[in-house]
Amino acid sequence: MTTTLKSRLQDDLTAAIKTRDELRSSTLRLTLTAIQKEEVAGETARELSDAEVEKIIAREAKKRREAADAFAQGGRAEQAERERAEGVVLAEYLPKQLTDEELDALVAEAVQEAAAGGAQGPRAMGAVMKIVNPKVAGRAEGGRVAAAVKRRLAAG
């Protein structure tokens, strides 16, 4: 039984090949390869859950962002643009990202919750992250979440 997210990727790949959408088909092909590698990585081959597939897509999207930044800094605008475009394709398969306001609101709640549990100031970072991470659940990158938590804790 294939997962719904993986089968959606496969169906979209087939459609992209039929419409000769090179960007989409190569991006989806690479992502499906990453998923298949993960499926056979352990002792026994297994089907990944949608959550696991989502993590791989998020990892692939992050790679595209980092590569785009590296290409842009290296003056290779064309490659940077290509990486960004691939990232946009992958974003369609991920949960909608939180806005800064939404993230700040979740962080504020978590800081209050941690404070109620006795964790305050800069040392509360770990406690706040434990509370906020499940609420964010893939809708914001870890670094972004940590930065928001640090800002909130510094502000007191």
Side-chain angles (χ1 to χ4, degrees):
M1 180 202 106
T2 50
T3 61
T4 48
L5 189 54
K6 183 180 171 189
S7 46
R8 184 176 149 210
L9 288 166
Q10 288 166 326
D11 294 345
D12 290 354
L13 172 59
T14 305
I17 292 168
K18 283 182 184 157
T19 60
R20 294 196 166 80
D21 183 340
E22 190 278 328
L23 171 79
R24 182 173 283 277
S25 60
S26 80
T27 304
L28 295 178
R29 195 175 278 123
L30 284 168
T31 304
L32 282 162
T33 301
I35 292 166
Q36 283 155 350
K37 264 192 200 146
E38 191 78 22
E39 286 177 333
V40 297
E43 296 279 310
T44 53
R46 64 191 185 92
E47 264 315 312
L48 298 181
S49 69
D50 270 358
E52 290 170 308
V53 169
E54 201 174 274
K55 275 196 181 107
I56 294 169
I57 297 170
R59 190 174 64 214
E60 291 295 311
K62 183 179 180 188
K63 279 186 202 166
R64 301 306 189 288
R65 272 194 303 280
E66 290 169 353
D69 291 345
F71 281 134
Q73 286 167 3
R76 296 167 68 186
E78 209 170 291
Q79 286 98 330
E81 201 40 56
R82 166 78 187 205
E83 294 289 338
R84 276 191 207 101
E86 290 181 4
V88 168
V89 169
L90 293 173
E92 294 172 26
Y93 299 93
L94 293 170
K96 192 176 171 311
Q97 294 295 292
L98 294 168
T99 63
D100 289 340
E101 293 76 27
E102 290 168 329
L103 178 58
D104 287 341
L106 286 175
V107 168
E109 276 173 34
V111 168
Q112 283 177 331
E113 219 172 295
Q120 288 178 325
R123 287 198 204 95
M125 183 83 187
V128 174
M129 290 299 285
K130 263 195 201 97
I131 296 167
V132 84
N133 275 334
K135 294 178 181 181
V136 170
R139 296 180 297 152
E141 215 170 77
R144 214 178 126 211
V145 177
V149 170
K150 278 187 189 128
R151 272 197 314 270
R152 174 62 67 159
L153 290 173

